[in-house]
Amino acid sequence: MKDYIEERAISIANYIVDHNATVRQTAREFGVSKSTVHKDVTDRLMQINPNLAKEARKVLDVNKSERHIRGGLATKEKYMHQHVV
């Protein structure tokens, strides 16, 4: 694996852990796709730094379990602003 990919994977995982970030937020921050973020954290990082990979995975699992709630709140907020009669 190329050095810059290893560095990116570590940087991405650190960002996720430090900021409790979602895959989408992380992808936007690093200018890469969501698929790249996911691949870096789940596959590549396990070869480089398994402990960091597990920490990042915990954050992503929590975010995944809460995403339906965040989506519902966003929809609720959207319709509350539109309902001006």
Side-chain angles (χ1 to χ4, degrees), residues 50-62:
N51 291 330
L52 182 58
K54 288 175 188 170
E55 283 184 55
R57 187 79 226 170
K58 284 181 196 173
V59 173
L60 294 180
D61 287 343
V62 168

Side-chain angles (χ1 to χ4, degrees), residues 2 6 8-9 11-12 15 22 29 31 34 38 45-46 52 60-61 63 73 76:
K2 299 194 185 223
E6 289 182 10
R8 183 186 66 210
S11 297
I12 283 174
Y15 181 82
T22 63
E29 179 70 22
K34 294 183 303 182
H38 192 267
L45 197 60
M46 277 305 257
L52 182 58
L60 294 180
D61 287 343
N63 287 339
L73 291 174
K76 179 180 177 183

Side-chain angles (χ1 to χ4, degrees), residues 3-75:
D3 289 341
Y4 75 93
I5 294 175
E6 289 182 10
E7 291 173 16
R8 183 186 66 210
I10 292 170
S11 297
I12 283 174
N14 283 326
Y15 181 82
I16 289 170
V17 171
D18 292 345
H19 295 92
N20 235 6
T22 63
V23 170
R24 190 175 294 238
Q25 291 167 336
T26 305
R28 194 175 309 122
E29 179 70 22
F30 284 86
V32 296
S33 70
K34 294 183 303 182
S35 300
T36 300
V37 170
H38 192 267
K39 178 99 173 158
D40 281 354
V41 173
T42 56
D43 294 343
R44 295 179 179 132
L45 197 60
M46 277 305 257
Q47 299 169 6
I48 303 165
N49 186 338
N51 291 330
L52 182 58
K54 288 175 188 170
E55 283 184 55
R57 187 79 226 170
K58 284 181 196 173
V59 173
L60 294 180
D61 287 343
V62 168
N63 287 339
K64 186 175 180 181
S65 70
E66 293 175 349
R67 71 180 171 190
H68 67 283
I69 296 168
R70 281 194 301 270
L73 291 174
T75 302

